[in-house]
Amino acid sequence: MSVDLDHIQQVLDEADCLYNEQQIEEAIKSMGSAITEQLSNSNPLVYCVMNGGMVITGKLLTHLQFPLEASYVHATRYRDQLTGGRLDWRVRPSQDMKGRTVLIVDDILDEGHTLDAIVDFCKEQGAEQVMTAVLVDKLHNRKARPDLKADFYGLEIEDRYIFGYGLDYQGYWRNANGIFALKGH
């Protein structure tokens, strides 16, 4: 696959910055406080959803000052595309979660099919409680279920194609130090 790096750079250069690094870091700190208040005595198992959740999970963990186990799961519907397809499990959780509190951390709650499937899997494995934390909750009416909400979220975003802070544009810009909206989307 040939990548047009000039195009990739142009995407960032022309994008609208919706949230800067300082605003995002404050949101993560606030999420950490809320999660600590609710889960500090529950010995939770914290799962990072790869690849999008790696930035938020890494930063969020430093604000969770209580005992926890951290691991990851890899399930996707996007495979570096702009729209989602069928759920693809690449790595399922391997820890015993029977009777445990599980916190699933991801970059975004868009339609929520991936997050919903991971939550269902954890419940099927016997987790006593499954909670979700996302950096971004995208505001629209296309959720997998009408009542689908993250237990913890940092920011709300209008219904645009966004990237940065773990969210990608065709596999790139997860490392962008803000949350940006694609021009025209």
Side-chain angles (χ1 to χ4, degrees), residues 12 16 25 53-54 62 69 85 92 149-150 165:
L12 179 63
D16 298 322
E25 290 296 328
M54 68 182 152
T62 66
E69 277 186 272
R92 293 178 189 253
K149 292 296 275 180
Y165 254 77

Side-chain angles (χ1 to χ4, degrees), residues 27-128:
I28 293 169
K29 183 178 178 182
S30 180
M31 284 177 63
S33 294
I35 292 168
T36 296
E37 185 176 316
Q38 195 157 347
L39 299 183
S40 64
N41 294 318
S42 66
N43 185 28
L45 179 54
V46 179
Y47 282 115
C48 169
V49 179
M50 297 299 283
N51 284 327
M54 68 182 152
V55 173
I56 177 64
T57 304
K59 291 184 172 276
L60 184 61
L61 285 173
T62 66
H63 295 284
L64 305 180
Q65 299 300 311
F66 56 86
L68 58 84
E69 277 186 272
S71 191
Y72 75 99
V73 59
H74 195 168
T76 183
R77 292 181 59 236
Y78 291 92
R79 295 180 212 81
D80 301 331
Q81 302 299 311
L82 295 180
T83 58
R86 164 185 78 73
L87 185 67
D88 179 19
W89 280 96
R90 295 183 181 175
V91 177
R92 293 178 189 253
S94 60
Q95 291 78 6
D96 181 9
M97 58 185 86
K98 186 171 239 160
R100 300 279 306 268
T101 294
V102 174
L103 177 66
I104 301 164
V105 183
D106 204 358
D107 55 356
I108 187 169
L109 175 56
D110 192 343
E111 292 179 5
H113 294 284
T114 303
L115 198 57
D116 208 30
I118 295 169
V119 167
D120 287 346
F121 179 85
C122 292
K123 288 177 180 176
E124 290 167 7
Q125 298 304 304
E128 181 177 314

